[in-house]
Amino acid sequence: MAPLPIELPKPMFEGTPQNLTVPNLQKPLGRPRDPFLAPAGVTNVARDEPVASSDEEPIIGEIEQVTDGDKKGAEGSFVELGPGVQHVTLDLGAPHEIYAILFWHFHKTARVYFDVVVQVADDADFTKNVRTLFNNDHDNTSGLVAGQDMNYVETSEGKLVDARGSRARFVRLYSNGNNANDLNHYVEVEVFGRPAS
Ligand SMILES: [Ca+2]
Ligand SMILES: [Ca+2]
């Protein structure tokens, strides 16, 4: 086992604001995230892989920015999807053993994105062998299934979800606006894994 080779973007703000009035909000750790251990040799297998979206005509930017390797928080480094429930689906091209999914919706300012759900599946339409790895839609607004995970504040560290070695080709992330507006954003999604044997 070895720590994931995570490369973080430059922070856009210091600390974590305490004045966010969001229910069920995870308390900030107050220090860098602990290293995440996975089998040695696991890398980001999502880089430059194709992405589909429920909003194929983003308001700002291009869907391809989800996996282009640019993780900067600045204007021009995120794609903006329309209001309400939207999702992006990454195609890894072949089945992989997935150990972690790391994603940044937006980290220019501190925000909380709502109804964040992360799933993996064997098919692009998410009908075969769907597994939910993270879900903070506690009241099932999105109609997938109610989740138990907490809301969290976006930072330059991104959100890391333990995928526990799940075998899958497709990764999907849902969101439903954020505490600043109804829109949905992605700076980058990384999938740490290796080809399934
Ligand atoms: Ca990007
Ligand atoms: Ca909800």
Side-chain angles (χ1 to χ4, degrees):
M1 304 289 275
L4 285 186
I6 293 172
E7 291 176 26
L8 294 180
K10 199 167 146 247
M12 300 290 286
F13 57 89
E14 293 293 325
T16 304
Q18 306 293 318
N19 59 348
L20 291 165
T21 52
V22 171
N24 196 30
L25 186 63
Q26 191 173 50
K27 203 165 173 282
L29 198 53
R31 58 178 167 79
R33 179 173 55 223
D34 291 333
F36 185 90
L37 297 178
V42 161
T43 58
N44 173 25
V45 294
R47 177 70 191 268
D48 295 327
E49 294 296 344
V51 183
S53 175
S54 53
D55 184 355
E56 293 289 358
E57 294 183 356
I59 299 166
I60 298 171
E62 306 291 337
I63 301 292
E64 291 74 21
Q65 288 177 267
V66 174
T67 56
D68 69 353
D70 176 2
K71 296 175 260 188
K72 290 194 293 293
E75 298 287 338
S77 292
F78 55 80
V79 57
E80 181 174 79
L81 307 178
V85 178
Q86 301 287 352
H87 60 76
V88 294
T89 303
L90 284 64
D91 180 359
L92 304 179
H96 283 71
E97 284 173 11
I98 302 170
Y99 290 90
I101 298 167
L102 177 60
F103 52 98
W104 297 257
H105 284 111
F106 185 91
H107 64 95
K108 187 162 174 273
T109 59
R111 276 188 188 174
V112 178
Y113 282 75
F114 297 128
D115 301 335
V116 174
V117 181
V118 180
Q119 295 181 325
V120 294
D122 291 350
D123 66 321
D125 293 330
F126 278 66
T127 61
K128 295 186 185 120
N129 197 17
V130 179
R131 287 141 289 164
T132 300
L133 303 176
F134 182 90
N135 183 346
N136 67 13
D137 183 10
H138 63 96
D139 57 357
N140 199 17
T141 311
S142 300
L144 297 166
V145 64
Q148 304 291 322
D149 293 301
M150 295 185 79
N151 286 315
Y152 63 92
V153 179
E154 298 274 339
T155 72
S156 59
E157 278 200 318
K159 181 65 177 175
L160 191 150
V161 168
D162 187 351
R164 303 183 294 272
S166 300
R167 183 189 160 103
R169 172 172 166 177
F170 296 91
V171 176
R172 177 174 286 182
L173 297 92
Y174 290 84
S175 61
N176 182 16
N178 64 85
N179 69 310
N181 56 57
D182 290 341
L183 304 172
N184 297 277
H185 304 88
Y186 287 90
V187 167
E188 190 77 6
V189 177
E190 297 185 331
V191 178
F192 286 89
R194 61 185 179 188
S197 48

